[in-house]
């Protein structure tokens, strides 16, 4: 019998974790209800790591893209907010979808709904398409009977992510072209000019210029240099893999990222925005604060901030204010707890959280756009310096050849 990991709330509001044996996820949740617990998350322990691969193998088709999932979520939210029954909504989505992958996805979800699964449980069976954050938001929406608003918030979030990704990709086109042309130019210089010039000095018994000698030595030891670089890359990958299995390492690395001069504040703003957006959407949908905090914490990918948010949840569970607990977390922008405190005092916590999210999302977007704008001139200068140094080295060698010819 499969084993399911669960996170559930007790009657006193405590979040409990454990394992339970059941034939299906629905049966596991029913068993938890019989124990007096309210399930927050249940997943099969034995197959969670390979669920994505097995899911793709079982259907034999490529998973839908991010843009398709965003469009699917937007259309689904529109139908749900129009009070169209869930099964009818999925039938409509299946019928009108032009992409075969999305049509099959809607049919698969519909089949699970007809078999008695909840929407969140049906979505959780496709982790290759719907992440844990997506499923948690839908589950909380189901708990309070507001699936439509939950899907709307998800659609807004996905569309913002796609827009930001598209802007970054567009801004990287010109730098990528510059790098490609620089590599081609460097290859021409190193592959044709240098090998043609170097033998002239050897034939005349003269020492090569230092720059040309450095290039020839690098070419002669290319195998050794490549081996050293490969070893360094392997060590980095090994350390990264080890860090993934050691929470203390992941937390330390995440804290180091947050300490970086330019990248750190950007990561902190992004994490704050995701936390505030998720929590604000949850509270707006009627989800209790503690449950919303659990989902919002899951949306924060930075391991250090994620770990610190556990103490925030404990503080709120003990009767503390959310703003005070957030203010004690390092790297969280100071304005966030201040605005959240105003929301707590005025009874508009959800509204203020969404404003905080919007403010930091726009700030993050502006910062990324400025960085992308600076990337092009910086790369131009660096590439010009590298190519110019190579050309100067070759010209120095050519002038030395002229001196040899004059003698």
């Amino acid at each position: 019998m499969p084993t399911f990991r669960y996170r559930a709330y007790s009657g006193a509001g405590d979040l409990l974790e454990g394992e339970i044996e059941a034939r299906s996820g629905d049966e596991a949740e029913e068993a938890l209800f019989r124990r007096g617990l309210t399930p927050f998350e249940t997943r099969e322990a034995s197959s969670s790591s390979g669920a994505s691969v097995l899911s793709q193998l079982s259907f034999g088709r490529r998973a839908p893209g991010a843009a398709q999932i965003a469009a699917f979520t937007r259309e689904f939210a529109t139908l749900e907010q129009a009070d169209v029954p869930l099964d009818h909504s999925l039938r409509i989505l299946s019928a009108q979808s032009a992409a075969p992958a999305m049509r099959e996805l809607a049919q698969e979800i519909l089949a699970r709904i007809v078999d008695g699964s909840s929407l969140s449980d049906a979505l959780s069976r496709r982790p290759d398409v719907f992440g844990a954050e997506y499923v948690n938001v839908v589950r909380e929406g189901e708990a309070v009977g507001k699936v439509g608003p939950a899907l709307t918030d998800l659609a807004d979030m996905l569309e913002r992510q796609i827009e930001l990704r598209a802007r970054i990709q567009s801004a990287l086109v010109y730098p990528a072209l510059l790098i490609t042309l620089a590599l081609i130019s460097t290859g021409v210089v190193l592959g044709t000019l240098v090998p043609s010039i170097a033998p002239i000095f050897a034939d005349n018994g003269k020492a090569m210029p230092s720059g040309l000698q450095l290039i020839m030595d690098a070419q002669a030891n290319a195998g050794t240099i490549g081996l050293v670089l490969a070893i360094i890359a392997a060590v980095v990958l090994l350390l990264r893999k080890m860090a993934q299995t050691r929470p203390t390492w992941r937390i330390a690395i995440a804290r180091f990222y947050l300490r970086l001069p330019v990248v750190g504040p950007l990561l902190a703003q992004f994490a704050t925005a995701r936390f505030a957006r998720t929590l604000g959407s949850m509270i707006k949908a009627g989800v209790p604060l503690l449950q919303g905090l659990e989902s919002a914490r899951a949306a924060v990918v930075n391991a250090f901030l994620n770990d610190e948010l556990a103490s925030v949840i404990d503080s709120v569970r003990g009767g503390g204010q959310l703003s005070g607990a957030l203010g004690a977390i390092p790297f969280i922008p100071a304005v966030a707890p201040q605005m959240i405190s105003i929301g707590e005092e005025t009874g508009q916590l959800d509204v203020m959280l969404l404003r905080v999210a919007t403010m930091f999302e726009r700030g993050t977007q502006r910062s990324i756009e400025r960085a992308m704008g600076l990337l092009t001139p910086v790369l131009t200068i660096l590439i010009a310096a590298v190519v110019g140094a190579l050309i100067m080295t070759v010209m120095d060698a050519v002038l030395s050849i002229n001196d040899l010819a004059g003698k």
Side-chain angles (χ1 to χ4, degrees):
M1 184 176 296
T3 300
F4 290 84
R5 294 184 181 275
Y6 70 85
R7 301 168 71 192
Y9 287 95
S10 67
D14 296 325
L15 183 64
L16 306 177
E17 299 184 10
E19 295 184 351
I20 187 172
E21 292 186 351
R23 296 185 180 87
S24 65
D26 292 338
E27 185 175 315
E29 292 184 357
E30 291 177 1
L32 292 172
F33 278 120
R34 288 195 295 270
R35 295 182 183 182
L37 302 176
T38 302
F40 172 70
E41 179 183 6
T42 55
R43 66 180 185 275
E44 191 170 351
S46 59
S47 61
S48 59
S49 61
S52 175
V53 176
L54 291 176
S55 175
Q56 290 185 352
L57 289 176
S58 63
F59 293 97
R61 287 180 173 82
R62 183 179 173 183
Q68 292 176 322
I69 296 301
F72 171 84
T73 306
R74 174 64 65 190
E75 294 169 0
F76 201 178
T78 302
L79 292 170
E80 285 298 299
Q81 289 194 317
D83 294 329
V84 178
L86 181 59
D87 56 337
H88 290 180
S89 297
L90 290 168
R91 289 189 177 94
I92 293 172
L93 291 172
S94 175
Q96 72 178 16
S97 178
M102 294 307 303
R103 185 163 53 249
E104 292 171 5
L105 178 64
Q107 292 172 352
E108 176 191 346
I109 297 172
L110 175 61
R112 296 189 184 280
I113 296 295
V114 172
D115 288 341
S117 298
S118 64
L119 177 59
S120 57
D121 184 57
L123 296 176
S124 67
R125 304 298 177 89
R126 290 298 303 270
D128 57 318
V129 179
F130 303 105
E133 179 184 358
Y134 192 109
V135 175
N136 285 338
V137 172
V138 174
R139 179 176 289 117
E140 299 299 344
E142 288 178 320
V144 296
K146 294 185 178 181
V147 176
L151 289 171
T152 300
D153 291 335
L154 284 171
D156 292 339
M157 180 185 69
L158 294 175
E159 288 168 355
R160 283 192 297 270
Q161 292 175 354
I162 292 172
E163 180 184 1
L164 180 59
R165 190 180 300 117
R167 291 187 179 185
I168 294 174
Q169 291 173 348
S170 177
L172 289 176
V173 171
Y174 184 63
L177 180 61
L178 282 177
I179 293 173
T180 302
L181 293 176
L183 291 175
I184 294 174
S185 302
T186 304
V188 170
V189 172
L190 297 179
T192 60
L193 294 179
V194 172
S196 300
I197 295 173
I200 297 176
F201 293 92
D203 294 341
N204 288 273
K206 300 293 183 179
M208 285 186 287
S210 57
L212 186 61
Q213 184 64 55
L214 179 63
I215 295 174
M216 295 302 298
D217 291 342
Q219 290 180 336
N221 296 285
T224 303
I225 295 173
L227 179 61
V228 171
L229 292 177
I231 292 174
I232 293 174
V235 170
V236 171
L237 292 175
L238 178 61
L239 291 175
R240 181 182 177 184
K241 186 174 182 180
M242 292 174 63
Q244 291 176 347
T245 59
R246 291 169 171 79
T248 54
W249 286 27
R250 289 191 294 107
I251 293 172
I253 293 172
R255 185 179 184 118
F256 171 75
Y257 288 153
L258 291 169
R259 289 180 179 274
L260 295 177
V262 177
V263 178
L266 191 63
L267 292 175
Q269 287 185 16
F270 178 74
T272 303
R274 292 200 69 175
F275 174 83
R277 175 70 61 184
T278 304
L279 182 57
S281 299
M282 290 286 185
I283 297 176
K284 182 180 178 181
V287 176
L289 179 58
L290 285 176
Q291 296 184 25
L293 282 170
E294 290 289 346
S295 296
R297 180 194 173 197
V300 177
V301 296
N302 184 278
F304 173 77
L305 294 178
N306 188 289
D307 182 67
E308 290 292 318
L309 286 171
S311 62
V312 172
I313 297 174
D314 291 338
S315 176
V316 173
R317 184 180 290 113
Q321 286 191 329
L322 174 61
S323 57
L326 284 176
I329 297 181
F331 307 110
I332 293 290
V335 68
Q338 294 172 3
M339 294 181 65
I340 292 173
S341 176
I342 295 174
E344 290 175 326
E345 293 174 359
T346 59
Q348 295 183 328
L349 181 59
D350 56 338
V351 175
M352 196 58 68
L353 282 167
L354 293 176
R355 287 181 182 175
V356 169
T358 300
M359 181 180 67
F360 284 116
E361 285 167 353
R362 291 176 178 173
T364 302
Q365 183 172 327
R366 286 194 297 266
S367 298
I368 292 175
E369 289 176 351
R370 284 197 296 267
M372 293 296 102
L374 290 173
L375 182 62
T376 298
V378 169
L379 280 178
T380 302
I381 294 172
L382 291 177
I383 291 171
V386 172
V387 175
L390 288 175
I391 296 298
M392 291 299 295
T393 301
V394 173
M395 290 301 297
D396 183 39
V398 171
L399 293 176
S400 299
I401 292 174
N402 290 336
D403 293 340
L404 291 175
K407 296 178 180 179

